[in-house]
Amino acid sequence: MTSSVFRGRPRHAASYISVRVAHTVLGGSVSVAWLVLPVMTIGTQDPVPAVRAGPVAVAEAAAPEQHAPEQHRTSPADLVVPLVAVGTAGVLAGYAYLRRTRRARTRTTPGSASGEPPARTHVVSDRQARAALVAADDAVRTSREELAWAAARLGAAAVEPFIRALRAAETELSAAFAIHRRYEEGLPGDAGARRQALVGVLGRCAEAGRRLDAEAAGFDRTRALERDTGGAAEATEGRVRELAGRAADAEATSAGLVERHGPTAVEPVQGYAVQAGDRLVFAAAQLDRARQAAGTGETMRAVRGLRAAEGALTQADVLVTGVARLSRDLRAAAALVPAALTGAEAALADARRGMGAGGYAPFERSRALRRPPGRNGTAAGRNGRTVGRTGATADRRPPAPVPPPKQLVPVGELRARLAHADTVLAAVRQELTGGPYDPLDALRRIARAVEPVGAGHRGVVALAGFRAARSAAATAEDFVATHRAAVGAEARTLLAEAVRRLAQGDTGAADGLARVARTLAERDVRVHGTPYAGAAGHDLGLAGAVLGGVLLGEDPDGGPPASFGGPLTRGRLRTG
């Protein structure tokens, strides 16, 4: 069945146009010949007819001389029909040309009058889809952060309509990421269906932004920062003092983690304590400006400074919380490694006993650990820390295991897999007594070693894989949140897919996707750079605030602070 995308275009459009042009030219030629033919037959001399013998012939020869003027006279009526034919043909040809040109200009199907290949349109649409994903994701993140501040001050009941709008936007954004992930995997394969997939991404992102844009004005009226600048400033100042102490603790924690587990284990949060201090310096400067503006009656300037300070404090909280969480994860992983090794060795022993005497052995592919379906709403945290339904740390419980179906593999191949798993487990045991090591990486290697032999889909080995994947997704989420101005759509799409797989219990895939997403995000940041870093005349911490999306970076001073709302309204504080 022909896709609706292609129904408006003839299959033989070029040959069809050629036939129409040929018909027009032929009709015009016949009309011109008809017009010119009477003129060509008018001679300057009289015709000489054949003379027959006899008196009758003499009479017939004399007759033309008497009626010659009437026979050679051309009547104007003879020219009317040819002229009408030529004019009609010209009008029809011009109408056909104009109609064809208009259809080519307004065509929405592949191809164009200029002969430009469809691939060009495809590339532009993909670029638009990526830009829409980034804009929608930024809007959702910013809205979630400011909504947490409002809920902490006004209560969850006062902001319930905006929580519902945020949940709806998160749902649309999750669907857009899922569609784009399939598109990047080459699905669907049909060119028309792929174009429709990009249209779906654009539509979902637009709907997510529309949901937030529609509530932006109501959110401002509910929060009413312009009427409560004094109270908001006091709450913000208390948050600055609290996070300053936590930032100092985070720096000491990072140093201790390097000493106990080595620098590799601390790489996911390397430099987070310094970045948190940078955000705190910026927040303190913005808070001072807000107070000065409020004292002089410049209300909108005060609101703008408060929002910039709140955004910076939210990211400082993300950074110091990331360090503390990694410390807990490493401590729990170190306690779990011995049990995971024992469980993995027992699983390998079971796999050896299960090998039959024939040429094949039963094999259980540990593909997924399923979580019972449930509802994960948006949880507003204390003064700016929140994890929504797409958050990587939304649920710390491991998923309920469901045994996968058994398959048969050759015994020789299974023995090779068992030998490789024995080698990995032996290396991990040696690391336990050889000095500092990364416990999360050890859990990851244990889970991956037993997976090819069909073991590890339940018990302590499954828990080991889950904890490694959860930590990888959480650290990737923190990095994207605090560097969002530079991170592109590819890293965000992989991160969203990792969170989805983790919720489904597919811990192996979730761990790999999260680690790749973090790598791509770091690459984007290196390519983007920090344009405001070290620039004369700028506040301390401005470069980090712009890189983190606290300020939108539209003006030399860093631009307006990001606020609750979609792409159309999140920068509405650019004046004042």
Side-chain angles (χ1 to χ4, degrees):
M1 183 176 181
T2 305
S3 172
S4 60
V5 179
F6 301 96
R7 289 175 183 169
R9 183 179 184 179
R11 294 187 177 181
H12 304 288
S15 60
Y16 180 65
I17 295 173
S18 301
V19 171
R20 295 180 63 180
V21 172
H23 287 174
T24 303
V25 172
L26 180 60
S29 301
V30 172
S31 301
V32 171
W34 191 359
L35 176 63
V36 175
L37 184 59
V39 179
M40 294 177 60
T41 58
I42 299 175
T44 57
Q45 297 179 356
D46 295 335
V48 181
V51 179
R52 290 178 292 179
V56 177
V58 174
E60 291 176 355
E65 296 181 357
Q66 299 175 2
H67 304 284
E70 289 77 5
Q71 290 180 357
H72 294 295
R73 185 178 303 165
T74 301
S75 173
D78 295 338
L79 303 178
V80 173
V81 176
L83 287 175
V84 171
V86 171
T88 303
V91 171
L92 291 177
Y95 173 76
Y97 174 79
L98 292 176
R99 184 181 178 186
R100 183 64 185 175
T101 303
R102 188 180 301 111
R103 289 180 58 190
R105 290 177 179 174
T106 59
R107 183 188 300 277
T108 59
T109 55
S112 63
S114 61
E116 188 176 3
R120 180 69 176 175
T121 303
H122 173 71
V123 172
V124 172
S125 297
D126 185 36
R127 189 183 304 115
Q128 292 173 352
R130 290 171 179 266
L133 283 171
V134 171
D137 190 40
D138 284 347
V140 167
R141 290 176 183 275
T142 302
S143 299
R144 186 188 301 135
E145 292 166 357
E146 187 178 2
L147 185 58
W149 283 89
R153 186 154 182 83
L154 304 176
V159 296
E160 180 61 29
F162 313 112
I163 293 178
R164 290 196 299 268
L166 177 61
R167 288 174 179 170
E170 288 174 335
T171 301
E172 297 292 341
L173 180 61
S174 298
F177 275 127
I179 296 171
H180 193 253
R181 173 60 180 167
R182 285 176 52 84
Y183 177 86
E184 289 184 334
E185 291 177 335
L187 298 174
D190 178 69
R194 287 179 65 78
R195 281 187 290 272
Q196 290 300 319
L198 291 177
V199 172
V201 172
L202 292 172
R204 294 280 189 172
C205 292
E207 179 62 18
R210 187 195 66 79
R211 295 265 187 169
L212 297 174
D213 285 329
E215 300 293 339
F219 181 82
D220 288 343
R221 289 192 298 270
T222 300
R223 194 174 185 200
L225 267 181
E226 66 277 4
R227 297 197 302 267
D228 189 28
T229 54
E234 290 180 3
T236 304
E237 184 179 7
R239 191 73 170 138
V240 169
R241 290 194 298 266
E242 176 195 347
L243 286 172
R246 292 178 59 194
D249 294 341
E251 188 172 3
T253 300
S254 298
L257 292 177
V258 172
E259 185 176 339
R260 286 192 302 271
H261 302 292
T264 304
V266 193
E267 278 184 1
V269 296
Q270 188 67 39
Y272 274 19
V274 176
Q275 294 180 41
D278 186 71
R279 300 293 199 279
L280 288 174
V281 169
F282 177 80
Q286 293 296 317
L287 181 59
D288 289 341
R289 289 188 176 183
R291 282 177 166 166
Q292 293 173 6
T296 58
E298 299 176 272
T299 305
M300 289 310 300
R301 278 192 59 197
V303 171
R304 180 172 175 170
L306 285 173
R307 271 302 304 138
E310 290 175 351
L313 290 175
T314 297
Q315 295 200 3
D317 180 78
V318 171
L319 293 166
V320 298
T321 301
V323 175
R325 183 185 59 245
L326 181 62
S327 177
R328 293 192 303 268
D329 290 347
L330 288 172
R331 184 167 56 249
L336 185 62
V337 168
L341 280 172
T342 302
E345 290 170 348
L348 296 182
D350 291 341
R352 286 190 174 90
R353 285 193 297 268
M355 288 191 302
Y360 293 88
F363 168 63
E364 293 185 358
R365 182 181 301 275
S366 57
R367 191 175 70 88
L369 304 176
R370 301 296 181 186
R371 179 187 302 280
R375 180 179 179 182
N376 290 329
T378 302
R382 181 171 177 265
N383 285 358
R385 180 58 175 162
T386 179
V387 178
R389 59 191 304 173
T390 59
T393 59
D395 195 344
R396 294 182 177 274
R397 296 173 300 169
V402 175
K406 291 186 176 182
Q407 302 177 1
L408 294 178
V409 297
V411 172
E413 180 180 348
L414 184 57
R415 285 174 178 168
R417 297 179 183 181
L418 289 168
H420 174 73
D422 289 335
T423 302
V424 173
L425 297 183
V428 173
R429 280 198 178 277
Q430 187 175 3
E431 289 179 0
L432 293 180
T433 59
Y437 74 101
D438 184 353
L440 285 170
D441 185 65
L443 293 181
R444 179 179 297 111
R445 290 158 61 193
I446 292 171
R448 289 183 177 180
V450 299
E451 181 179 359
V453 300
H457 55 271
R458 60 173 67 89
V460 66
V461 178
L463 180 60
F466 172 77
R467 287 189 174 177
R470 184 189 63 192
S471 179
T475 54
E477 168 68 23
D478 291 346
F479 187 86
V480 172
T482 53
H483 300 78
R484 68 187 67 166
V487 179
E490 187 177 4
R492 298 176 192 237
T493 300
L494 291 179
L495 177 58
E497 181 67 12
V499 172
R500 188 180 71 85
R501 295 289 188 93
L502 184 62
Q504 293 178 346
D506 195 352
T507 56
D511 180 69
L513 289 167
R515 288 161 64 84
V516 174
R518 173 64 183 265
T519 301
L520 293 176
E522 291 176 348
R523 181 201 64 184
D524 291 342
V525 172
R526 288 193 300 270
V527 172
H528 181 272
T530 51
Y532 291 88
H538 290 309
D539 294 335
L540 292 176
L542 177 63
V546 173
L547 182 63
V550 176
L551 302 181
L552 297 182
E554 299 175 354
D555 302 320
D557 62 349
S563 304
F564 180 98
L568 299 180
T569 58
R570 62 190 298 260
R572 58 188 177 276
L573 296 180
R574 59 175 43 89
T575 58

